[in-house]
Amino acid sequence: MNVSLSPELHAFVADRLATGRFASASEVVRAGLRLLQEDERRRGAPQGAMPSSVSGEGGRTAL
């Protein structure tokens, strides 16, 4: 799967990797998606209602 990230989000992922908390960009993205899932659960969004693509402006980053 490829995910498009803005330069700012790409830098954010790189910063998270630099802390050593995450071993890969995929781990950073999964952590963010888990937070989004939890937020949508709290708001009462139906299961599976997550958008089919997660994107920002900018180039594509392979995960």
Side-chain angles (χ1 to χ4, degrees):
M1 173 180 289
N2 288 320
V3 178
S4 297
L5 298 175
S6 67
E8 292 82 11
L9 288 175
H10 187 275
F12 180 79
V13 170
D15 287 346
R16 300 294 67 85
L17 293 173
T19 68
R21 179 176 172 196
F22 298 95
S24 69
S26 292
E27 286 184 12
V28 177
V29 172
R30 281 192 297 269
L33 289 173
R34 282 191 294 271
L35 289 172
L36 178 59
Q37 278 182 320
E38 182 59 32
D39 182 59
E40 292 199 357
R41 262 191 288 268
R42 281 193 308 264
R43 293 172 186 250
Q47 288 296 98
M50 199 179 301
S52 60
S53 65
V54 177
S55 66
E57 295 177 28
R60 297 184 80 96
T61 301
L63 300 175

